[in-house]
Amino acid sequence: MIRVRTLLQDLSISAVVAGFLSAVINFAGPFLIVLEATRAAGLNEAQTASWVWALSLGNGVCSIVLSLFTRIPVIVAWSTPGAALLIASLGGFSFSEAVGAFLVASVAAAVAGYTGWFGWLLSKVPGPVLQALLAGILLPFVIAAAGAFATAPLIAGSIVVTFVVGKRLWDRFAVLTALVAGIVATWATGSFQPVGATLVLGGPVFTTPSFTPAALVSIALPLFVVTMASQNAPGLALLRSQGYAPNDRFLVGTISVVSAALAPFGAHGINLGAITAAIAVGPESHPDRSRRYVAGLSGGVTYLIFAAFGGALVAGFQSIPSETVSVVAAVALLGSALTALSGAMRGDTRTGLAAITTLAVTMSGVVFLNIGAAFWALIAGTGVYLALAPFRRRTQPHAQTPQTQPTHQTQPTQEETDDNA
């Protein structure tokens, strides 16, 4: 642990700002995906506020404690791809069943983390298949945002143009500036929706989990795979890329235990941050790598502030029209979708066919035996990959044949000549 005197000596404005921005940007873009997931689940205002409270509390506590304990800038975030998955998967299930699936997915992640099974499990599923699964989950939201140009062209256009300009001039804050532009355009066009006076502002709401095979297969399994493969794995890779040596068992296991504890309050999953964490982990936080853990503390404190005012956040975001939400969510997911597509298409024909099969099944939204498309995509993609594996011919035992003399005789060395002499 860090002593108070050491912490005060390591404090820096740049690290505090980096941690603050990592949390704020996570709310600026990916939070809208979580909000859409709560809408897909049909939650009321109190349950939605509890979901936000649980995610923010888990992010804050884990970021602060793990950063202090390891002296590494540990930025914890919710599973954005997991929230995108839930938008398509929650419709046929009660929230109690969904909470049961959240709990099972987090417990499985904790077991996989603490025991070291995480790397073993990932090695069994082809990487392009996992990337194609993620791309299939994210792409529909990017595509659907195009429809906003028909109903709200000014709002949609301002968001996209600002995002593109931001990517050119201030890449790290492109999503944040796009959100600001969208809010300004929404206000200028008078498109904000009134918030009901009966809105409940804050407080955790406990939901008793229930467990059904269909929910476990349709929600828990894909949520576990997507969270571990597309969030925890890149998060560990990010830390290693900056010269840290994170204990993956300790970090993933501890975060997943906290996620399981908060699942009955709506937390669908928390994990290591990757994209937004890059702000706090990189040299922009502090030139001295050993002092960047302060950014993890700052990000954690920011999350706790958001947890205290989760209900007010829900009230504010629920007044935003769907066009603004969908377009901002789309530009926030563009980077992840591009990375997933690039990873899915790498490799030879075998991996390419497996990846495109996974992508097609995921985007189809097919539901068979009351099981969602993400699971069938994993089965289909892995099945194609295994079916195209080259056959291994067994060598038949045969009599040994005398060795033939080599056609080319090498000249004796000087030492051999001297020995023969």
Side-chain angles (χ1 to χ4, degrees), residues 35 39 45 48 193 195 199 313-321:
L35 187 59
R39 290 173 177 173
E45 290 85 352
T48 301
Q193 301 172 0
V195 180
L199 185 67
L313 284 174
V314 173
F317 277 99
Q318 283 188 337
S319 67
I320 303 174

Side-chain angles (χ1 to χ4, degrees), residues 53-63 76 258-259 262 270 303-304:
W53 171 85
L55 290 175
S56 302
L57 179 67
N59 291 351
V61 170
C62 288
S63 296
V76 180
V258 175
S259 180
L262 293 172
I270 59 175
Y303 277 122
L304 292 182

Side-chain angles (χ1 to χ4, degrees), residues 82-147:
L85 167 71
L86 297 178
I87 296 175
S89 303
L90 288 179
F93 300 97
S94 67
F95 189 55
S96 176
E97 292 175 306
V99 167
F102 299 165
L103 179 59
V104 170
S106 295
V107 170
V111 172
Y114 279 130
T115 61
W117 293 353
F118 180 29
W120 182 85
L121 286 172
L122 287 181
S123 68
K124 298 304 176 182
V125 181
V129 170
L130 291 174
Q131 294 295 331
L133 173 67
L134 177 60
I137 292 171
L138 300 180
L139 279 177
F141 301 100
V142 178
I143 296 172

Side-chain angles (χ1 to χ4, degrees), residues 155 181-192 321 324:
I155 295 175
I183 296 298
V184 171
T186 303
W187 170 79
T189 57
S191 301
F192 276 108
T324 306

